Amino acid sequence: MMNTKNIMLNERAAKETRLIKSTSKRQITIPKSFFGLLAIEDGVTFVAQVNESGIFLKPQSTKKQSIRDQDREHIIRQVFREGNSEEEIIEELNYRLKKYDEFIARRVQEFDNDIADSYDGTGDEPEVESFNGLDIFIHEEAGASLKES
């Protein structure tokens, strides 16, 4: 009989451990309590990975992460990989995430300044279309026409 004591994964103990039997069709049933612990909804797709210890199932994220969230996640993973102590991790995360937020705020301000500098508000130029600065990100035609000019 298999030992059901908590298995360590990435140096973390399992929240709950159960024996699960596969059917003759190689199917398993994931306990409802597992779904509750992870707040997983019915019908979710799982990513399955095999390693030397067994099979790891992870719910596939249905939400697309923003660039900001991807950047922040990258920063967090990088800090954890550096092997610092718990206190050093907290300090380093606070520092790097603050610097990242300052960088983004500075870039947004530069973008706003560029827009303000390029628009004088007179509207007297006959062949110049109104440009609010976001057209590049919304309309491909606007981005193409700006590159051509």
Side-chain angles (χ1 to χ4, degrees):
M1 182 166 186
M2 179 183 157
N3 185 355
T4 59
K5 82 175 196 180
N6 277 348
I7 298 168
M8 299 295 284
L9 181 63
N10 293 335
E11 300 177 13
R12 294 182 183 184
K15 292 182 179 183
E16 184 176 337
T17 302
R18 297 264 193 106
L19 290 177
I20 300 173
K21 187 176 180 180
S22 65
T23 68
S24 61
K25 295 182 180 183
R26 297 180 309 277
Q27 296 173 333
I28 61 170
T29 300
I30 299 172
K32 184 177 183 179
S33 60
F34 286 19
F35 277 70
L37 283 169
L38 298 173
I40 301 171
E41 296 179 12
D42 291 341
V44 71
T45 299
F46 286 85
V47 176
Q49 295 177 335
V50 177
N51 64 32
E52 65 278 352
S53 301
I55 300 170
F56 177 73
L57 297 174
K58 181 178 179 182
Q60 184 179 34
S61 176
T62 56
K63 291 190 286 185
K64 190 158 179 135
Q65 279 189 319
S66 68
I67 298 294
R68 180 181 183 274
D69 288 343
Q70 291 174 20
D71 287 347
R72 293 174 69 82
E73 184 175 306
H74 176 76
I75 291 167
I76 292 166
R77 288 182 190 281
Q78 189 174 0
V79 169
F80 272 92
R81 272 190 229 117
E82 292 171 3
N84 297 317
S85 71
E86 184 177 333
E87 197 59 40
E88 290 170 327
I89 288 172
I90 292 168
E91 286 178 32
E92 195 62 28
L93 280 174
N94 282 330
Y95 173 77
R96 290 187 195 183
L97 292 173
K98 178 183 175 194
K99 289 296 183 188
Y100 174 78
D101 290 340
E102 289 171 356
F103 169 78
I104 295 299
R106 191 170 51 253
R107 294 304 302 246
V108 168
Q109 186 60 50
E110 289 171 3
F111 184 72
D112 286 343
N113 292 344
D114 288 346
I115 291 171
D117 291 345
S118 67
Y119 179 70
D120 65 5
T122 62
D124 292 337
E125 299 173 44
E127 294 184 28
V128 177
E129 290 184 30
S130 173
F131 174 68
N132 70 6
L134 297 178
D135 290 341
I136 285 177
F137 302 106
I138 298 171
H139 304 292
E140 290 180 23
E141 302 84 34
S145 65
L146 287 173
K147 289 176 188 171
E148 294 167 3
S149 55

